[in-house]
Amino acid sequence: MLRGQMMDRPLMIADLLRHAALNHGKQEIVSRLPDTGELHRYGWADCHARSQRLANALTGPLKIKPGDRVTTIAWNTHRHMELYYAVSGVGAVIHTANPRLDPMQIVWIINHAKSKAVFYDVTFAPLVDAIAKHCKTVKNWVAMTGEATKPDIKTKQSVYETLLSNAGEHYDWPEFDENSAAGLCYTSGTTGEPKGALYSHRSTVLHAMMSATADAVGVGADGIIMPVVPMFHVNAWGVPYAAALAGSKLVMPGAQLDGKSIQELVEGEKVNLVLGVPTVWLGLLQYLRESGKRIDTVHKVLMGGSAMPESLLRAYQDEYGVEMQQGWGMTEMSPLGTVGKLLPKHEDLSGDEKVKIKLKQGRLLFGVDMRAVDDDGNVLPRDGQSAGHIHVRGPWIISSYYRGAGPESFTDDGWFRTGDVGHIDEDGYMTITDRSKDVIKSGGEWISSIDLENAAMGHPDVAMAAAFGHPHPKWQERPLLVVQPKPNTNPTADSIREYLAGQVPKWWLPDGIEFIDEMPLGATGKILKTKLREIYKDYKFPDADYEGGAMPTKG
Ligand code: ADP
């Protein structure tokens, strides 16, 4: 081989910010602040300057060393952006905890990550009070606010703005191996125990470059982008990084994710691209319809995390003229894998035919290699109908879980098993048809079916229990629990729900509990959930509102 003669410069996350500061310094980052509710605005240059101060605070008083983990429990704001850049910039690892998890799960992941410091938004003060004493490795708790608005908590804490004002201005971002860890995000796996995806500088920068391209998220200097998807959820799908390389304006919604707050922010800041899970768009749609308000500046909504409901796609497209695109990905994939954009050849198709294509999970992006395989490991043809287990590989896909969890997720020949079942067609569109991993996804957040089943099995009258995700008009999926009672017993749904209430988070409680005489079992004695899904396919949850289609009426 003849070696190329190009510079071997490392791909560093801090360079994204340095680029934005130098070339798009006045381009704004606008944040709705969780502590005061006010709109805060500054430019990329200010973000860079404050991230440098934060880097000094991290390496000085907070004693953060390269490789250390620093946890955030925080909304999308400029302060969280500064943490993204400063923590990884000093060579440490930003671990974004999902505050919607059960507090003991948060304790579990902070302990598993062996975090040295936790930065939290003031709205999470009660949570911090509940978990702090269990987090043994954490040396510093930092409230992301100023002195005037600092919450009163039981644990000794520092105040973010004070740390920054006391820190030196100048900080030179060090250069180091681009394969060093930069970010850590936990996903609940099939066993109910969270597993960590450990991103590197290289994977993060490459993902940002791909994500900015036209057929992916499509991020440019003319972008006014609002990631409604939280920064604790797979790095807000990489937007904080892609926006820096493109010099886009960012609009951060903070803690207020209701329809009214989002509409106001979209209109006020002239947002043209929004990203989030379907539940958020349901809430916004309800508000738009009730208020008669519009979101006319928005050109595109990228919806991911769960399948895009057809009624939602049609409502935004037909009533509000918004281009709806679906993305598919995973925490383990940084997360982008496919984005559902139409091709030039689809231009003359009827509206209904176009909708059909948009309901597929999307087209494969460069950098994501994908195959569908059958149960025997044979690679299936890309014919748009042969469905199999979806495997992926690529430079922003995990090669192993943090601290060696879940080795069974990787094949011997170097692919990652997604746990999704689907097919691929000759244009590279992937369609998910089922899920082999045993989890339920409600409003973009995971519920472990195994944990639910184990809890239900503890009930004295339950012989067998199976939980699975069933379509729900508001939450995309909610748990349906099917129970085979022990002989000569007659448990009621209420008694089972009551029994579960003390053992699993409240929002995990099944919306439906059904009884079956004999559980369908496979050859190895495992419950056949495919069969159960078939039996209950027309089941309707008693408390769900099906009348309004995509329109939620409650919650
Ligand atoms: P995220 O919610 O950001 O996509 P997670 O790691 O929490 O990341 O969840 C990934 C899983 O969510 C996928 O493996 C798949 O089961 C489901 N998922 C994500 N996007 C879609 C989509 N567009 N359609 C259907 N399921 C999806």
Side-chain angles (χ1 to χ4, degrees):
M1 282 290 187
L2 179 62
R3 202 175 150 76
Q5 291 175 299
M6 308 308 280
M7 291 185 193
D8 189 13
R9 302 277 305 137
L11 299 172
M12 303 265 74
I13 291 175
D15 283 337
L16 296 171
L17 181 58
R18 196 158 39 194
H19 168 83
L22 278 173
N23 303 292
H24 308 278
K26 294 220 157 52
Q27 180 70 288
E28 282 181 322
I29 300 171
V30 181
S31 317
R32 170 117 52 202
L33 297 184
D35 49 1
T36 60
E38 287 162 9
L39 278 191
H40 172 276
R41 55 182 79 234
Y42 72 177
W44 281 104
D46 303 306
C47 180
H48 185 228
R50 279 173 50 99
S51 300
Q52 286 176 296
R53 278 182 180 273
L54 179 56
N56 282 321
L58 288 167
T59 51
L62 299 183
K63 298 192 178 66
I64 297 299
K65 301 263 175 305
D68 282 350
R69 273 76 64 203
V70 173
T71 297
T72 57
I73 307 178
W75 300 107
N76 296 8
T77 65
H78 70 294
R79 292 188 183 114
H80 207 173
M81 285 286 288
E82 291 158 10
L83 281 155
Y84 262 43
Y85 283 101
V87 173
S88 59
V90 305
V93 179
I94 179 155
H95 162 228
T96 47
N98 181 346
R100 293 188 184 133
L101 296 176
D102 186 61
M104 287 328 281
Q105 272 179 314
I106 298 178
V107 168
W108 191 93
I109 59 170
I110 289 177
N111 285 336
H112 190 263
K114 298 187 184 150
S115 249
K116 287 275 166 57
V118 176
F119 286 73
Y120 73 95
D121 265 324
V122 296
T123 48
F124 301 119
L127 175 65
V128 168
D129 261 339
I131 65 173
K133 63 175 179 294
H134 303 290
C135 301
K136 303 290 180 215
T137 57
V138 176
K139 302 275 181 283
N140 285 288
W141 296 84
V142 184
M144 293 164 67
T145 188
E147 291 292 340
T149 37
K150 85 171 172 213
D152 198 13
I153 63 165
K154 288 183 257 173
T155 312
K156 186 169 162 284
Q157 65 178 343
S158 318
V159 173
Y160 189 89
E161 291 302 331
T162 312
L163 272 178
L164 254 63
S165 22
N166 293 340
E169 262 177 32
H170 187 77
Y171 184 86
D172 277 331
W173 302 109
E175 220 169 71
F176 43 85
D177 180 359
E178 63 179 12
N179 286 301
S180 307
L184 177 62
C185 187
Y186 281 81
T187 170
S188 342
T190 52
T191 60
E193 199 157 88
K195 295 199 281 281
L198 188 61
Y199 312 116
S200 66
H201 284 258
R202 175 185 157 80
S203 71
T204 306
V205 174
L206 286 175
H207 181 270
M209 291 167 83
M210 172 280 296
S211 135
T213 58
D215 286 355
V217 180
V219 177
D222 57 352
I224 305 177
I225 311 174
M226 176 152 76
V228 183
V229 53
M231 289 170 78
F232 56 76
H233 199 136
V234 215
N235 301 331
W237 298 345
V239 173
Y241 302 116
L245 78 80
S248 319
K249 172 173 168 177
L250 271 181
V251 182
M252 302 297 221
Q256 284 160 256
L257 304 180
D258 60 288
K260 181 169 187 290
S261 306
I262 291 182
Q263 190 279 335
E264 279 173 10
L265 213 47
V266 164
E267 193 171 277
E269 300 302 322
K270 303 190 170 52
V271 169
N272 53 27
L273 168 63
V274 243
L275 303 93
V277 298
T279 307
V280 166
W281 308 123
L282 282 166
L284 177 61
L285 180 62
Q286 183 179 18
Y287 173 73
L288 295 178
R289 283 175 171 167
E290 279 166 9
S291 65
K293 299 250 159 92
R294 296 190 59 90
I295 45 167
D296 288 333
T297 54
V298 175
H299 295 151
K300 180 165 116 179
V301 166
L302 186 68
M303 195 187 287
S306 292
M308 175 155 72
E310 179 172 344
S311 51
L312 202 58
L313 187 168
R314 287 186 186 271
Y316 276 101
Q317 181 182 282
D318 301 344
E319 292 170 42
Y320 298 96
V322 171
E323 165 78 13
M324 300 297 281
Q325 285 181 11
Q326 167 157 216
W328 167 88
M330 301 177 73
T331 303
E332 291 89 334
M333 299 174 65
S334 300
L336 276 183
T338 64
V339 173
K341 198 169 171 188
L342 296 182
L343 292 169
K345 71 174 185 183
H346 298 135
E347 206 168 295
D348 297 331
L349 293 181
S350 71
D352 283 352
E353 284 167 320
K354 285 183 182 159
V355 165
K356 249 197 202 152
I357 297 171
K358 288 185 169 186
L359 291 174
K360 295 171 190 261
Q361 269 58 40
R363 274 184 80 224
L364 275 163
L365 302 167
F366 172 76
V368 180
D369 212 359
M370 181 183 284
R371 68 185 187 189
V373 303
D374 66 14
D375 286 340
D376 300 322
N378 302 309
V379 177
L380 297 168
R382 289 186 167 220
D383 56 6
Q385 51 185 16
S386 305
H389 304 282
I390 297 290
H391 294 175
V392 288
R393 64 178 182 190
W396 52 84
I397 293 165
I398 58 165
S399 57
S400 55
Y401 282 104
Y402 180 54
R403 297 183 58 191
E408 65 283 355
S409 297
F410 304 89
T411 69
D412 290 341
D413 59 345
W415 295 73
F416 171 69
R417 300 179 210 270
T418 63
D420 287 320
V421 174
H423 51 70
I424 311 165
D425 72 15
E426 57 189 12
D427 292 320
Y429 283 97
M430 190 269 285
T431 306
I432 293 188
T433 55
D434 201 355
R435 208 184 271 152
S436 56
K437 57 188 161 196
D438 217 353
V439 276
I440 300 160
K441 200 157 202 196
S442 168
E445 304 288 342
W446 291 117
I447 295 173
S448 162
S449 45
I450 295 175
D451 285 359
L452 267 182
E453 288 159 6
N454 286 343
M457 294 287 284
H459 187 286
D461 296 341
V462 172
M464 264 190 247
F468 52 93
H470 184 71
H472 186 282
K474 176 171 179 188
W475 300 107
Q476 291 79 57
E477 257 179 44
R478 286 293 301 158
L480 172 61
L481 182 75
V482 178
V483 166
Q484 179 182 325
K486 283 189 181 154
N488 308 318
T489 66
N490 218 348
T492 61
D494 282 347
S495 83
I496 293 176
R497 194 171 285 114
E498 238 167 69
Y499 180 79
L500 291 174
Q503 308 187 54
V504 297
K506 210 164 140 226
W507 67 276
W508 285 25
L509 290 176
D511 290 33
I513 299 182
E514 291 291 298
F515 295 93
I516 196 166
D517 292 337
E518 210 174 314
M519 202 63 96
L521 300 180
T524 55
K526 274 209 300 225
I527 296 175
L528 285 179
K529 289 205 181 162
T530 41
K531 184 81 193 171
L532 279 178
R533 285 203 177 93
E534 174 69 32
I535 296 172
Y536 290 96
K537 73 176 189 306
D538 298 324
Y539 175 83
K540 294 235 182 311
F541 288 117
D543 291 334
D545 172 32
Y546 292 88
E547 290 301 301
M551 287 287 293
T553 56
K554 284 185 273 184

